[in-house]
Amino acid sequence: MIDKKLLHLLGDNKKYIYYTVAFMIMGLFANVTITACICKAIHIAADYESYGVNDLIIIAVAALAGIFIRYAASRISG
């Protein structure tokens, strides 16, 4: 449970806690994106005849975007 007296001592610095939590949540969604891209890449590799190289490139770009967002979010929240 959040201690209200402790939050009262923070004063105007509460906004930094909100920013940190927001960037952590953004990093969480980036992790989900990376995991989904890995799963989709394995699915494409297992059934490669039905898919093309373009599908794999799109998945790779999405994974790289997720990695970049995760890195940026962890640097900013840290």
Side-chain angles (χ1 to χ4, degrees):
M1 184 168 196
I2 298 173
D3 188 8
K4 292 182 181 179
K5 291 180 183 177
L6 181 63
L7 286 177
H8 181 68
L9 290 174
L10 290 173
D12 292 335
N13 292 329
K14 283 189 268 189
K15 65 181 178 181
Y16 297 115
I17 294 173
Y18 295 130
Y19 291 150
T20 302
V21 170
F23 283 116
M24 286 182 175
I25 290 172
M26 187 170 43
L28 174 70
F29 285 121
N31 282 340
V32 171
T33 302
I34 294 166
T35 304
C37 288
I38 291 171
C39 293
K40 187 65 176 177
I42 291 171
H43 177 73
I44 289 173
D47 191 21
Y48 189 71
E49 292 83 23
S50 299
Y51 297 97
V53 176
N54 292 335
D55 294 327
L56 196 58
I57 291 173
I58 292 170
I59 295 299
V61 168
L64 287 175
I67 290 168
F68 176 74
I69 291 170
R70 173 68 177 116
Y71 175 75
S74 67
R75 290 290 295 193
I76 292 171
S77 69

